Amino acid sequence: MTSSTPPPGPDEPPARASGDQRSSARERGELDELRHRVRALESTGQAPATGHHRLRSTGSVLLILLASLLSLLAVVAVWANSIVRDTDRYVATVGPLASNPDVQKAITNRVTTAVLAQIDVEGLVKELEKAAAQKGAPPKAAELLGNLKGPITSGLKSLVGGTVQRVVSSSAFDTVWVNANRTAHSAFDKALTGESGGAVSVENGQVAIDVGPIVAEVKDRLVSAGFTPAAAIPAVHTQFVVFASKDVGKIKWYLRVLEIVGSWLPLIAVLIAAAGVYLAVHRRRALIGAALGVFAAMLLLGITLSVLRSVYLDHLPVGASEAAAGAVFDSLVKFLRAGVRAVGAVALVTAVGAFLVGPSRVAVLTRTGCRKAIGALRDVSVSAGLPLGAVGRFVHRYKQWIGGVILVVAAIVLFTWTYPTVAVVVWTLVIVLVAFAIREFLDTGTPDTPSATTPAA
């Protein structure tokens, strides 16, 4: 007696039965694939670490640590290179100092002292005494004029100081300051590379700018105001100290080295980090570690800059303005701090992104929630008549490739941006998230073959 498959009942049509068989076969295939993957993961996690794996892990850690250190030096190198070689960058760095109140006050005091040193107050008093005697003034009146040296000095200081302050605080001074620094940039390059001369010089551990042109402008204004003795003031070359340190020689050498390697060090750091991630046994974890290592390096560099500022201000020469020196220091490292924040933001975003693509419960819930929300929006749009047929199938088929292209383009934009800031990083992240959301929206998830339903690696 031969057995045969009973015919489908009245509540189960033949077509549906065959469809269930195909679905069961597909589900069994998916289940087998998942079991295979679970066994592979369990064997990887439970097997004792072999010597080969230990060697790979050690090499990966060393490369990631080296890349983190080089990322710190790379940020400083790019900053040093921009300050030395990029005139526009240098002007953008020191230009705002022209309107800084502390710097204006320091320049006003320096120029006022230089001008008063060129005015012979005793000679002015003697001329007054002589003029009084010629006019027939009583001897006692001439004697009283001889005691006017103090008030005359005080009045001259007030006159000259007010004139200098008006010159320094005028809008014309901003233009003069910017143009002078633009012209002096080549000399600033020489100052940092060990040469001297020009408007910027390095003497006695000081980087100073000649503010003689300001003295000449003050002289002209004093003469125009009727103070004729100012016409005798000779050409004065007085210095405004931009940076002062007994270790400026070492700083010049370090900056020179960083200037030379500035163009290649960022690329070298990225390549070493990539090699460390590739060598690791668990590459996603290694990527998180590399990103956090770079973030830690940026955090260390930011703290170091704050400490260096305090140390620098504590070792200023006698008579230097601490407020002006602090303003100059902050201006010179402004773009360095911006670079530190930008690189730190990129590293933190990379670490978070690598975590969210992992198997943790938080990552899975996050991905699932976003996918469901976008899927609901897509279903509503399709129900309203939005055609996604061929486009949806294409995006579903090449979904991973599209995601890779988005990430590569974002990386190229950040790496080739001349001076990225945190705002650039944030906007790039927003655009990347929008691009991934659009990719998910266009993915209709309607594969034509059972193999297409296999979970992505």
Side-chain angles (χ1 to χ4, degrees):
M1 180 176 181
T2 60
S3 62
S4 60
T5 303
D11 297 332
E12 186 179 4
R16 182 175 177 180
S18 61
D20 288 344
Q21 291 176 359
R22 287 194 298 269
S23 299
S24 299
R26 183 167 61 250
E27 290 172 357
R28 284 196 298 272
E30 294 177 0
L31 184 59
D32 291 340
E33 176 68 18
L34 289 175
R35 287 174 177 172
H36 175 73
R37 291 172 182 265
V38 169
R39 285 195 297 270
L41 291 174
E42 289 178 348
S43 62
T44 302
Q46 294 176 357
T50 62
H52 177 67
H53 283 180
R54 284 197 298 269
L55 184 61
R56 287 180 58 184
S57 299
T58 302
S60 175
V61 170
L62 292 178
L63 288 175
I64 288 174
L65 290 177
L66 178 60
S68 301
L69 175 62
L70 289 180
S71 67
L72 186 152
L73 297 177
V75 173
V76 179
V78 171
W79 167 78
N81 202 25
S82 66
I83 288 293
V84 173
R85 292 188 175 181
D86 192 337
T87 302
D88 293 334
R89 187 69 163 181
Y90 170 75
V91 171
T93 300
V94 300
L97 291 175
S99 57
N100 184 278
D102 295 323
V103 175
Q104 288 182 349
K105 183 178 179 180
I107 293 179
T108 298
N109 294 338
R110 186 71 185 91
V111 174
T112 300
T113 302
V115 172
L116 289 176
Q118 303 300 321
I119 299 177
D120 186 3
V121 179
E122 292 184 358
L124 290 177
V125 173
K126 289 181 180 179
E127 289 183 6
L128 288 175
E129 293 177 352
K130 184 178 180 181
Q134 290 177 351
K135 295 293 184 178
K140 182 169 280 190
E143 183 179 350
L144 289 174
L145 290 174
N147 296 327
L148 292 178
K149 180 178 179 181
I152 290 176
T153 301
S154 178
L156 283 176
K157 185 175 181 179
S158 178
L159 173 64
V160 174
T163 304
V164 174
Q165 186 176 11
R166 286 191 294 273
V167 171
V168 173
S169 60
S170 65
S171 58
F173 175 70
D174 293 344
T175 304
V176 172
W177 174 269
V178 170
N179 291 337
N181 278 281
R182 186 176 293 277
T183 303
H185 181 257
S186 60
F188 186 76
D189 185 358
K190 295 178 181 179
L192 291 181
T193 54
E195 303 177 15
S196 61
V200 181
S201 61
V202 178
E203 295 179 0
N204 300 322
Q206 295 181 343
V207 179
I209 296 178
D210 183 13
V211 292
I214 303 177
V215 177
E217 177 67 19
V218 171
K219 171 185 173 180
D220 294 339
R221 292 204 179 193
L222 289 175
V223 173
S224 300
F227 185 62
T228 55
I233 298 177
V236 178
H237 295 283
T238 186
Q239 305 293 327
F240 174 73
V241 177
V242 176
F243 184 84
S245 174
K246 63 181 181 180
D247 297 325
V248 70
K250 296 180 181 178
I251 295 174
K252 289 187 302 182
W253 188 85
Y254 293 145
L255 288 179
R256 180 57 176 168
V257 172
L258 291 176
E259 177 197 358
I260 294 173
V261 301
S263 301
W264 295 101
L265 201 53
L267 179 60
I268 294 173
V270 171
L271 293 177
I272 292 178
V277 172
Y278 180 80
L279 185 62
V281 177
H282 302 287
R283 292 172 182 168
R284 187 183 61 82
R285 298 178 186 176
L287 178 59
I288 295 176
L292 292 179
V294 173
F295 179 78
M298 296 303 103
L299 185 63
L300 176 62
L301 181 54
I303 295 174
T304 302
L305 288 177
S306 298
V307 173
L308 286 178
R309 187 182 190 277
S310 299
V311 173
Y312 169 66
L313 295 181
D314 289 341
H315 292 79
L316 288 175
V318 178
S321 172
E322 182 174 337
V328 172
F329 183 92
D330 292 338
S331 181
L332 288 176
V333 301
K334 173 184 176 182
F335 292 109
L336 176 57
R337 285 195 173 114
V340 168
R341 297 189 187 103
V343 175
V346 171
L348 190 59
V349 168
T350 303
V352 173
F355 170 78
L356 289 178
V357 299
S360 68
R361 181 176 179 82
V362 174
V364 172
L365 289 177
T366 302
R367 295 197 305 268
T368 303
C370 293
R371 188 178 298 113
K372 286 182 177 180
I374 297 175
L377 179 61
R378 179 182 59 244
D379 293 341
V380 172
S381 300
V382 171
S383 300
L386 179 65
L388 291 178
V391 175
R393 291 190 294 271
F394 175 84
V395 172
H396 183 80
R397 182 176 182 181
Y398 298 102
K399 189 173 183 178
Q400 292 187 4
W401 284 98
I402 295 173
V405 169
I406 293 173
L407 294 178
V408 169
V409 171
I412 292 175
V413 169
L414 289 176
F415 195 79
T416 58
W417 198 286
T418 307
Y419 300 112
T421 60
V422 175
V424 173
V425 175
V426 171
W427 279 109
T428 303
L429 174 61
V430 170
I431 294 173
V432 167
L433 293 178
V434 170
F436 272 98
I438 294 174
R439 184 195 69 161
E440 187 65 29
F441 178 83
L442 295 177
D443 178 16
T444 57
T446 54
D448 295 331
T449 59
S451 61
T453 63
T454 303

